[in-house]
Amino acid sequence: MMEMGDWWRRGKWRIMVMLTMLHIVGILIFTRGFLLTRTELPYYSNCSDVSESPCFTGQSNPYQNQSNSRCWTRPAVDRLVIIVLDALRFDFVAPSTFFKEPKPWMDKLQVLQKLASTKRSARIFKAIADPPTTSLQRLKGLTTGGLPTFIDVGNSFGAPAILEDNLIHQLASNGKRVVMMGDDTWVQLFPHHFKKSYPYPSFNVKDLHTVDNGCIEHLLPSLYEEDWDVLIAHFLGVDHAGHILGVDSVPMIEKLEQYNEILDKVIEVLDNQSGPGGLHENTFLLVMGDHGQTINGDHGGGSAEEVETSVFAMSFKKPPPTMPSEFDTSSCEMDLDQKKTCISSFQQLDFAATVSALLGVPFPFGSIGRVSPELYTLGAGTWNLENNIEGNCPNQKEEEWMQNYCNVLCINSWQVKRYIDIYSASSVIGFSSEDLLHISDMYAQAEENWSCSSESLLLFKDESCYSSLPLKRKIDAYFKFLLNVAELARSKWTEFDLKMMGIGFVIILISLPIYFLAMMTKSVNGFSSLLFGDSEIFVKLVFALFMVVIRACSFLSNSYILEEGKVASFLLATTAMFKLRNSIKREKMLVEAIVFLLLITILRFTIEVGLSKQAATSLFMSTHSSWLVEIDPGHPVWIYMAEIIPILALIFLAYLLYIIMARSSCHSIWKYVVLGTILCYILIAVHWASESDVLSSMLMLQGIGRNFIPRIIYAVGLGQLLLLAFSPLFHKDRDLESKMHLLIKTLAMLSSCSSTIIVLSGKQGPLVALVTITGGDFFYLYILVLLT
Amino acid sequence: MPNVGLDNNLYENIVETIVRSVRNELENFKNQIKAEMTENMKLRHMIAMDDIRNPKKVKLESIEGDDDGINQLEVTMCPLVILFYSCFRKNPEKCSYLKAVIRGVLALPIGALVNALGAIALGAPVGIQYFPKTVNWSLLMSLFTFVPAASVFGSSWEDWRRIFAHTKPNASVDYMICLPAHGAVIGAWFGAWPMPLDWERPWQEWPICVSYGAMAGYLITMVLSFVLVLPRGRQQHPKAD
């Protein structure tokens, strides 16, 4: 301690400041590359929003007079059947002639192959998903049209329900009746959106049949019902068979054959009723996978096998659709029966936008997908356009199609641009300004000169037919814009920036030898004797290092992810036992060690109970909800409590800080830092009050900007950290040894970080902070006892 | 510190007993592996035949087979360990052989309780269906850790603390208690590592891999302790004369 003081007094704090700066820079650069975070925006698309778009200027909207019910796009299909087959590999659906060699699991879904090769209204797509390819993230991606990361910063921390704008929400709020059957993940994600749902538990991987049998039981009867507009059936058998036994196994092939039968029946029913006036006159069928799987049945990563899944789309409308050949990107091969089968490619990102466009509901607010030309044509290519036909143009139909598609793309681009603008304005880690500029440029290019309407096209009219050239160019411009946005978003949300990570890591590594050198040169005796003199401390040090290294290594294996909590508590309990052994050795603090061990045991059980509850929510809660929650969750007292307790906890935290500040007599800088934190806490409380429905209506707080307060808090936090980092510059500490001083410094450090963390972690933040402070208090007592 | 010199006769005895018990254990181990493999094949086959309407039942059967293995091991090991270690009781003048044996027998359930509590703190599953397994495992662990120490030291807290907290074995017999006990515990601890992996193998169930880890650690450290004790015994022998 003396030497430290000595070294300090000699004005060598420059090294300290330099090291701190080095660390901050390194960590900032590293996290910039590593932390794939996306902020969830609380905004929703509305039907009326579209009037803000440049797509309908005045009377140029050709369909406005025809139907008043129209929202963003003209509804092209009346009813939609979505059959999701979990972990459907691309080669399950595509004919085996598309691959190098046939494998036993190929060509099992022959119904789909046959229809795709014989009917023009049916087509197989190769759908490319984005990693992470886990079911939950994929369902989220499919319905929001975005790129969910593992950490989506938003209001839904812990709770699985999707609060972002999504397809199901749009369907529900636009009067479409959605029926769901199968995997209960849907019900967890969308708890209140379905008109009817038949969820089956998905967490038992060994169970191949429960979910599928449940689906089959409800699927065929539902097809005869009239009381739905969108039907979702999610089969899990293939995913589970893959997880247990891999792709090349008997149950997998049996499952595929079973699906073949079911799909055959479904298509038969739909086809029988697709005549004029029938139940399925204008029904669209989508059979799709949410992600692929490897030969061993794993998924989650970004390898081609996991990412490639397929979509089979079929329209039951007559006559079959037509589409300009220049937008057809399919590749064709002969199938086993020597018939030509064409397969197009499709990005899963585009799913939400395309389905919204087909059903005529607003696109989800956060969707960055493009309305896929091929899938959209299958559903929408066959409007009754007879009334427009004036006669002698050879490519009149293509013309109409392109005009309509151009209109849709216009809305699509406008919506994507709106999202990108608002996202980069309200998120902490937004897009870089050059990228934004580039995108704006491209959008402007696409928007300039022509609108899609026929009026402006009259200029290019040659004789009686429109020239399709400007339309084509315009569509290409929109494509360019949308694809660029998708590429930018992918690079931002799905790819680690390895260069950044490497640079940050190297900077941190560089700081380590400097640290070591500084310590060695300045306090040779103290440091080395601390490490190597006392064998006991050395053993403890090695043990602690070992534990940390194991914990760190367990993150490397993705097999440990499921049981991560258990691994952590296992290591913690090991430490506690080591502690107990030490205290027996020294005959000191025996009671504390035992209590510590007991507490960890209790913690372990509470974690387990929590996990099992989460896993079994749907199955368990639905039958036993009455005794689990005594008060009805919708009870006003309950809601009120949930809103007010975090705020109270926050106020209590601020009060604690104030008390400590008032009692201690210390330097002003530290006081400013803590005062800033108290201010932040008050701001957070106001922010939450303004966000919640109950309190804001009472306190009239709605007017305060939602994004303004978090930004102030981030700024204050950064200021505090900078102040702390540079504080040694302002005054030289003579009394570093003083215990109180050290305490205040630590407090200031912690409090300066705390406000940002609380904002990010949501409403459980202050409670966690309170618990941590209590723990820290005990820890402090423990050290005091140890020292004396 | 009493000098526990080993005379030549006793020495041969030890070696013989150990060799016998090791052989026993190896045979048991082999049987277990064989049994497990056949169970495994059966399980695979049953899954392949798509006959897994009751996956739990199949799993329980395969594990019960394993329990039998551990049971047999305990039944054969228990008298061996108690009788063997009781030969080296501390203060043989004051404490009869029978008393040492009784101490060992009494320590078996107590040690099992301590081991079971430790396992539960570390995350062993709790429940009625796991109860017999946990009891079996903790008896085995008790046999590896508590019973030898109890037979030799009785209730001498100082000696227990010296062996288990300070890890400072002095005499030859100390080595033979201290090292295998630590080896068994550390082996069990490492044996728990594969448990949370998502490989879905039958041996990942509690307490199969933990028992294997404990046995492996025990065997290794037993051999190690002999390597350490042998030269000591030779050195001490002329002194005892």
Side-chain angles (χ1 to χ4, degrees):
Chain A
M1 223 53 198
M2 274 313 291
E3 271 174 46
M4 277 292 282
D6 208 345
W7 171 53
W8 201 259
R9 242 166 275 145
R10 266 185 263 154
K12 299 274 181 172
W13 46 264
R14 275 191 214 97
I15 297 179
M16 211 62 192
V17 173
M18 197 183 84
L19 277 175
T20 323
M21 290 308 291
L22 214 57
H23 261 210
I24 290 174
V25 169
I27 290 171
L28 273 182
I29 292 179
F30 184 82
T31 44
R32 185 107 183 127
F34 177 69
L35 266 191
L36 300 174
T37 47
R38 203 175 60 98
T39 314
E40 288 179 357
L41 298 182
Y43 305 111
Y44 294 89
S45 299
N46 285 315
C47 267
S48 52
D49 292 351
V50 85
S51 55
E52 297 161 18
S53 80
C55 303
F56 312 117
T57 39
Q59 74 284 15
S60 65
N61 178 2
Y63 304 114
Q64 210 151 46
N65 306 329
Q66 290 176 10
S67 63
N68 293 325
S69 62
R70 181 162 180 267
C71 189
W72 281 29
T73 55
R74 188 176 150 173
V77 296
D78 295 337
R79 308 180 88 189
L80 179 66
V81 179
I82 302 176
I83 297 179
V84 183
L85 306 177
D86 212 295
L88 187 76
R89 284 164 62 97
F90 175 55
D91 57 4
F92 285 166
V93 178
S96 55
T97 43
F98 278 79
F99 304 95
K100 275 182 207 146
E101 47 180 324
K103 291 274 165 59
W105 58 82
M106 291 180 182
D107 294 324
K108 295 297 171 207
L109 298 172
Q110 278 166 351
V111 187
L112 304 185
Q113 294 180 0
K114 217 167 86 192
L115 285 170
S117 62
T118 53
K119 290 208 175 184
R120 266 171 69 205
S121 59
R123 178 166 281 186
I124 292 172
F125 293 86
K126 177 192 211 169
I128 316 278
D130 290 292
T133 48
T134 50
S135 288
L136 190 100
Q137 319 293 336
R138 278 303 90 222
L139 290 186
K140 202 168 172 182
L142 280 172
T143 51
T144 59
L147 295 164
T149 57
F150 275 121
I151 323 161
D152 281 351
V153 182
N155 298 324
S156 60
F157 250 94
I162 297 181
L163 295 179
E164 254 182 307
D165 193 9
N166 59 69
L167 182 62
I168 311 291
H169 171 86
Q170 289 299 343
L171 291 175
S173 55
N174 285 285
K176 301 278 181 196
R177 297 155 299 174
V178 188
V179 173
M180 197 284 312
M181 55 197 69
D183 186 354
D184 61 352
T185 315
W186 285 88
V187 185
Q188 287 173 22
L189 292 177
F190 311 103
H192 311 298
H193 300 68
F194 297 119
K195 180 173 169 283
K196 243 195 277 179
S197 61
Y198 307 99
Y200 293 90
S202 57
F203 60 88
N204 185 5
V205 178
K206 300 225 166 100
D207 181 358
L208 297 181
H209 299 299
T210 309
V211 176
D212 290 2
N213 290 344
C215 267
I216 296 164
E217 191 187 318
H218 295 290
L219 177 57
L220 288 172
S222 298
L223 292 179
Y224 294 101
E225 306 278 335
E226 265 181 81
D227 61 348
W228 51 265
D229 298 304
V230 177
L231 184 147
I232 300 167
H234 192 138
F235 289 78
L236 272 180
V238 163
D239 182 53
H240 285 184
H243 277 305
I244 316 175
L245 297 156
V247 170
D248 193 3
S249 64
V250 181
M252 176 67 86
I253 286 163
E254 284 175 2
K255 267 283 144 199
L256 290 173
E257 279 164 354
Q258 185 193 7
Y259 289 167
N260 192 42
E261 264 174 51
I262 298 162
L263 290 173
D264 195 17
K265 278 183 203 155
V266 167
I267 290 167
E268 199 189 314
V269 171
L270 292 177
D271 212 22
N272 284 341
Q273 313 235 7
S274 65
L279 214 48
H280 296 291
E281 187 186 356
N282 190 8
T283 297
F284 197 58
L285 170 72
L286 283 171
V287 179
M288 56 187 294
D290 54 351
H291 50 74
Q293 56 180 320
T294 62
I295 297 291
N296 297 325
D298 300 326
H299 55 85
S303 72
E305 279 183 319
E306 293 161 275
V307 163
E308 285 175 8
T309 176
S310 45
V311 171
F312 169 84
M314 181 169 180
S315 167
F316 291 91
K317 222 171 354 181
K318 282 148 192 157
T322 52
M323 151 185 200
S325 51
E326 58 251 59
F327 293 109
D328 199 341
T329 57
S330 60
S331 67
C332 299
E333 295 264 349
M334 292 297 160
D335 71 357
L336 291 178
D337 304 330
Q338 296 307 314
K339 279 186 194 137
K340 200 172 142 200
T341 306
C342 291
I343 289 182
S344 314
S345 184
F346 171 73
Q347 298 286 328
Q348 233 182 37
L349 188 65
D350 304 340
F351 179 81
T354 310
V355 170
S356 304
L358 282 173
L359 287 168
V361 296
F363 300 179
F365 189 85
S367 161
I368 48 169
R370 147 187 95 131
V371 175
S372 153
E374 284 145 315
L375 194 59
Y376 186 68
T377 312
L378 271 181
T382 53
W383 273 313
N384 286 334
L385 299 167
E386 290 95 321
N387 50 351
N388 291 347
I389 291 178
E390 286 149 9
N392 45 6
C393 288
N395 51 358
Q396 176 79 32
K397 265 210 146 146
E398 278 188 17
E399 204 61 46
E400 292 290 346
W401 181 89
M402 268 168 52
Q403 196 175 319
N404 177 51
Y405 184 58
C406 179
N407 260 321
V408 171
L409 275 186
C410 176
I411 298 172
N412 190 353
S413 304
W414 163 77
Q415 170 263 331
V416 169
K417 180 76 172 47
R418 177 181 69 164
Y419 173 66
I420 294 292
D421 285 347
I422 294 185
Y423 181 85
S424 45
S426 60
S427 159
V428 197
I429 321 164
F431 298 100
S432 75
S433 51
E434 339 163 9
D435 287 335
L436 283 175
L437 205 67
H438 183 55
I439 282 179
S440 299
D441 265 2
M442 258 184 300
Y443 184 65
Q445 264 177 34
E447 279 300 319
E448 73 186 359
N449 293 336
W450 307 289
S451 95
C452 302
S453 68
S454 47
E455 258 162 63
S456 52
L457 287 170
L458 283 175
L459 299 171
F460 301 92
K461 201 169 166 182
D462 72 45
E463 295 175 10
S464 66
C465 297
Y466 303 134
S467 155
S468 67
L469 201 67
L471 255 184
K472 173 93 174 55
R473 242 191 285 167
K474 190 157 174 71
I475 289 177
D476 281 344
Y478 279 134
F479 272 9
K480 200 174 150 207
F481 164 71
L482 287 167
L483 292 177
N484 262 294
V485 169
E487 195 186 326
L488 175 68
R490 281 211 177 90
S491 70
K492 179 85 189 154
W493 288 322
T494 65
E495 288 160 21
F496 293 125
D497 191 343
L498 287 179
K499 218 189 276 170
M500 284 280 212
M501 281 168 72
I503 293 171
F505 194 65
V506 166
I507 288 178
I508 294 174
L509 276 188
I510 286 172
S511 75
L512 276 183
I514 296 179
Y515 250 123
F516 202 70
L517 272 179
M519 281 174 111
M520 286 312 253
T521 50
K522 291 304 159 192
S523 56
V524 180
N525 311 331
F527 183 64
S528 55
S529 73
L530 187 76
L531 254 188
F532 307 110
D534 191 344
S535 70
E536 200 176 298
I537 291 180
F538 184 67
V539 168
K540 275 184 190 169
L541 203 69
V542 168
F543 181 77
L545 272 179
F546 184 57
M547 283 295 148
V548 173
V549 167
I550 293 174
R551 178 91 181 104
C553 287
S554 79
F555 285 117
L556 294 180
S557 156
N558 61 359
S559 300
Y560 271 112
I561 285 173
L562 270 181
E563 308 274 0
E564 214 184 280
K566 280 188 184 172
V567 174
S569 73
F570 177 74
L571 293 177
L572 203 58
T574 311
T575 343
M577 285 181 176
F578 193 72
K579 196 77 223 155
L580 181 65
R581 185 174 176 272
N582 270 338
S583 53
I584 289 176
K585 199 163 158 183
R586 298 173 146 215
E587 293 193 314
K588 229 189 214 176
M589 318 254 322
L590 203 60
V591 180
E592 281 87 345
I594 291 171
V595 169
F596 183 41
L597 190 59
L598 273 179
L599 280 179
I600 286 170
T601 315
I602 294 168
L603 182 74
R604 179 226 141 174
F605 280 114
T606 41
I607 287 175
E608 261 169 44
V609 168
L611 279 181
S612 65
K613 251 190 207 164
Q614 204 175 23
T617 27
S618 54
L619 184 75
F620 198 64
M621 293 287 270
S622 58
T623 48
H624 299 280
S625 57
S626 54
W627 64 268
L628 266 177
V629 189
E630 289 288 333
I631 310 170
D632 171 32
H635 197 272
V637 173
W638 199 244
I639 296 172
Y640 202 66
M641 293 272 278
E643 300 284 2
I644 214 156
I645 281 181
I647 294 175
L648 281 183
L650 205 62
I651 291 169
F652 185 64
L653 271 180
Y655 174 72
L656 271 183
L657 273 182
Y658 177 75
I659 290 276
I660 294 171
M661 282 320 293
R663 274 195 201 157
S664 67
S665 54
C666 65
H667 261 288
S668 48
I669 286 181
W670 312 115
K671 243 175 193 166
Y672 287 134
V673 170
V674 178
L675 271 180
T677 309
I678 294 174
L679 180 78
C680 280
Y681 284 173
I682 295 167
L683 280 178
I684 296 171
V686 172
H687 177 54
W688 283 344
S690 71
E691 262 194 345
S692 77
D693 305 328
V694 187
L695 295 179
S696 60
S697 58
M698 217 170 64
L699 303 173
M700 305 290 184
L701 283 168
Q702 229 136 15
I704 300 167
R706 271 187 166 165
N707 303 311
F708 196 51
I709 289 179
R711 269 188 244 169
I712 291 180
I713 290 164
Y714 298 138
V716 171
L718 191 67
Q720 285 171 316
L721 280 180
L722 284 180
L723 201 63
L724 283 178
F726 288 108
S727 62
L729 289 175
F730 301 133
H731 59 89
K732 288 170 186 161
D733 290 318
R734 302 276 165 186
D735 51 350
L736 195 75
E737 291 92 329
S738 149
K739 213 186 287 171
M740 200 58 199
H741 195 89
L742 202 67
L743 194 71
I744 293 297
K745 271 188 170 177
T746 324
L747 186 80
M749 278 286 253
L750 287 177
S751 66
S752 62
C753 306
S754 67
S755 46
T756 311
I757 292 172
I758 287 176
V759 168
L760 285 178
S761 61
K763 299 212 165 157
Q764 59 264 58
L767 298 175
V768 173
L770 265 184
V771 172
T772 321
I773 283 178
T774 324
D777 198 31
F778 278 116
F779 190 70
Y780 184 64
L781 281 182
Y782 184 78
I783 288 175
L784 279 189
V785 172
L786 263 189
L787 287 177
T788 47
Chain B
M1 194 57 56
N3 188 0
V4 191
L6 302 174
D7 63 52
N8 263 338
N9 252 342
L10 210 56
Y11 208 66
E12 276 159 24
N13 263 339
I14 299 173
V15 172
E16 208 187 308
T17 342
I18 293 301
V19 165
R20 216 186 310 147
S21 70
V22 166
R23 204 178 285 156
N24 254 335
E25 267 175 51
L26 280 180
E27 206 155 292
N28 271 322
F29 199 66
K30 218 161 61 187
N31 284 340
Q32 271 174 34
I33 288 175
K34 219 185 267 172
E36 191 202 303
M37 272 171 73
T38 49
E39 286 294 333
N40 212 342
M41 298 274 279
K42 224 196 274 175
L43 189 75
R44 291 241 143 190
H45 184 68
M46 285 171 103
I47 291 174
M49 299 302 288
D50 211 359
D51 190 8
I52 51 161
R53 263 162 230 129
N54 276 326
K56 214 157 199 177
K57 199 177 136 212
V58 179
K59 230 162 73 185
L60 278 182
E61 272 168 17
S62 78
I63 290 160
E64 268 157 24
D66 239 296
D67 266 2
D68 284 346
I70 292 177
N71 263 338
Q72 274 174 22
L73 188 76
E74 273 165 30
V75 171
T76 44
M77 276 271 295
C78 182
L80 277 180
V81 168
I82 294 178
L83 294 178
F84 170 70
Y85 276 101
S86 297
C87 300
F88 306 108
R89 62 200 177 276
K90 215 173 148 193
N91 298 337
E93 317 82 48
K94 284 183 193 165
C95 171
S96 70
Y97 187 74
L98 188 67
K99 202 176 161 194
V101 170
I102 292 171
R103 282 196 311 219
V105 172
L106 280 180
L108 190 64
I110 299 171
L113 186 69
V114 173
N115 274 303
L117 287 181
I120 287 168
L122 282 171
V126 183
I128 299 161
Q129 75 267 35
Y130 292 108
F131 185 70
K133 290 176 201 124
T134 309
V135 168
N136 266 333
W137 175 83
S138 50
L139 284 175
L140 185 80
M141 286 305 287
S142 171
L143 205 58
F144 288 158
T145 53
F146 266 63
V147 173
S151 293
V152 175
F153 301 122
S155 57
S156 154
W157 173 247
E158 275 307 309
D159 283 316
W160 282 79
R161 212 164 70 109
R162 180 166 57 82
I163 296 294
F164 289 113
H166 286 282
T167 329
K168 279 183 185 150
N170 291 330
S172 309
V173 72
D174 288 1
Y175 275 98
M176 287 173 49
I177 293 168
C178 176
L179 286 184
H182 279 86
V185 170
I186 292 170
W189 190 80
F190 278 106
W193 280 27
M195 279 176 72
L197 290 171
D198 62 353
W199 296 347
E200 305 281 337
R201 295 294 134 86
W203 52 263
Q204 278 180 297
E205 286 293 319
W206 164 255
I208 300 169
C209 49
V210 182
S211 311
Y212 287 165
M215 281 188 270
Y218 184 69
L219 283 181
I220 291 168
T221 41
M222 203 67 183
V223 172
L224 190 73
S225 70
F226 267 95
V227 171
L228 286 176
V229 165
L230 276 175
R232 280 177 72 97
R234 287 216 184 91
Q235 275 171 16
Q236 278 175 4
H237 194 61
K239 270 185 214 165
D241 273 355

